[in-house]
Amino acid sequence: MKRYLNPDKASWPKILERPLFNAADLTGKVKAILDEIKSDGLPAIQKFTEQFDGVSIREFIVTDAEIEEASQLVDAELKAAMEVAASNIQRFHASQKTALKKIETTPGVVCWQKAVGIEKVGLYIPGGSAPLFSTVLMLGIPAKIAGCREIVLCTPPNNEGKIHPAILFAAKLVGVTKIFKIGGVQAIGALAYGAGPVPKVSKIFGPGNQYVMAAKQLVSISDVAIDMPAGPSEVAVLADESANPAFIASDLLSQAEHGPDSQVVLVCNSEKLVEEVETELAKQLTELSRMEIAIKALSHSVAIVLNNEDEMIRMINEYAPEHLIISMNNYLEVAEKIVNAGSIFLGNYTPESAGDYASGTNHTLPTNGWARSFSGVNLDSFIRKITFQEVTEGGIQTLGPVIEKMAAAEQLDAHKNAVSLRLKSLK
């Protein structure tokens, strides 16, 4: 990690830069693939699956028999762990339901709002170097609670044309309706446009590499909604003398192992703490199966020492991290001042891994600074809210003149007339 001691505020944007690919070059390549999928459909999906995943597949849909076979292969203890996590995720997201309220804004004018699930949603689940079966729970459970009628899952096959058993078990557990062995850009294209047995959906959810993220943003321009713009995973840690260096190192590594383009940031008030964390990083790195990936991520990660707590908070709000861990004596007080973050983890005993798997909150979160304007996935992500209004005879007599006046001022005569005719009918 690069170390900075009380850096000048003018240098903060440079210090906090994310490691990103050349977006222009990436977008061109992704657009060419999407265009071919849009025009050729299933044959293009087959072509790119063979090209990128190294496997020839003719039947992309996963059968019930395959799901049952996969379920038998999942360790019983893992199944039990997933069921506990699913229960917590269910409980937290179900609590986000809101009661229908009818409001009389003016005598005789009643308005209300009704939540309706998006009918068809697509879930993208990465399955390459790390099959993210936990993401199936994070996306499938709120989709089911929201009342989405069709939940379509796409995930890449291995070189034998199979999907990781834990992904299939999780999909069965949460009630996914269709599963396809399609990954990468071709999966996003299939969900956005429809291809063969893959239905066109109304909104696509899920993380992925930079190619997948570029594909999601391109299809969102005119074809389908997406959950949020996102990129490589990231974590920031705010720490003081009360923090445990070993815990901090483990949290930094938990994000660094996601991928070489992940980023971790430590902001603290002690150079001694940075040194202790670096010692722990070196010790813990040797125990990781994904050590080489984590080392690459750490090469563009930073540790920043600031003596002023307000400046520490200001830097975090400028960075707007996907995940923020606050390991400080007054963590609740500090948390109240954080306005830009995807998900916040409080105190020494709240690892970011808790949110990734089983505490109940969602781990699909805005990265690359998008936490300034986007929320993480929640129940609202899977619903639309339709407004209703009912105006009685008395209501139109009270509100009608207001509408007439405003419509006339905007020179929209037909709008005014729609009210005037009703008022005249009541005389």
Side-chain angles (χ1 to χ4, degrees), residues 79-100:
K79 285 182 180 177
M82 289 167 69
E83 286 165 354
V84 171
S87 175
N88 290 344
I89 296 164
Q90 164 81 24
R91 189 174 296 115
F92 181 70
H93 289 76
S95 74
Q96 296 165 22
K97 285 184 176 180
T98 54
L100 189 150

Side-chain angles (χ1 to χ4, degrees), residues 145-168:
I145 295 169
C148 301
R149 293 183 182 178
E150 197 161 357
I151 305 170
V152 183
L153 185 152
C154 285
T155 191
N158 63 17
N159 56 16
E160 296 178 351
K162 293 186 177 182
I163 293 175
H164 195 283
I167 289 179
L168 293 183

Side-chain angles (χ1 to χ4, degrees), residues 62-74 79 165 168-169 172-173 179:
V62 176
T63 64
D64 291 341
E66 288 177 291
I67 296 170
E68 286 305 318
E69 180 187 351
S71 295
Q72 301 305 315
L73 298 174
V74 180
K79 285 182 180 177
L168 293 183
F169 174 76
K172 178 185 176 184
L173 182 65
I179 309 169

Side-chain angles (χ1 to χ4, degrees), residues 124-143:
Y124 182 75
I125 308 299
S129 59
L132 300 184
F133 59 83
S134 58
T135 303
V136 181
L137 307 181
M138 295 291 175
L139 299 178
I141 289 172

Side-chain angles (χ1 to χ4, degrees), residues 12-38:
W12 289 7
K14 184 67 177 174
I15 292 170
L16 296 172
E17 277 184 352
R18 268 89 169 176
L20 296 173
F21 292 162
N22 183 325
D25 182 51
L26 182 70
T27 299
K29 290 178 181 177
V30 171
K31 186 176 184 306
I33 296 169
L34 290 172
D35 287 346
E36 193 168 335
I37 292 170
K38 191 171 188 177

Side-chain angles (χ1 to χ4, degrees), residues 173-246:
L173 182 65
V174 303
V176 168
T177 51
K178 290 180 182 175
I179 309 169
F180 295 95
K181 307 171 188 177
I182 309 174
V185 175
Q186 58 270 32
I188 304 304
L191 292 168
Y193 311 131
V198 186
K200 173 178 169 54
V201 301
S202 299
K203 190 171 183 179
I204 298 174
F205 296 80
N209 60 25
Q210 298 233 16
Y211 289 91
V212 168
M213 291 302 110
K216 283 176 65 179
Q217 291 187 47
L218 283 169
V219 298
S220 72
I221 294 171
S222 58
D223 295 288
V224 65
I226 62 171
D227 47 3
M228 69 189 81
S233 192
E234 59 197 32
V235 68
V237 178
L238 261 179
D240 64 12
E241 66 282 350
S242 69
N244 183 312

Side-chain angles (χ1 to χ4, degrees), residues 295-306:
I295 288 172
K296 288 179 182 176
L298 288 174
S299 70
H300 44 68
S301 295
V302 295
I304 303 154
V305 178
L306 296 169

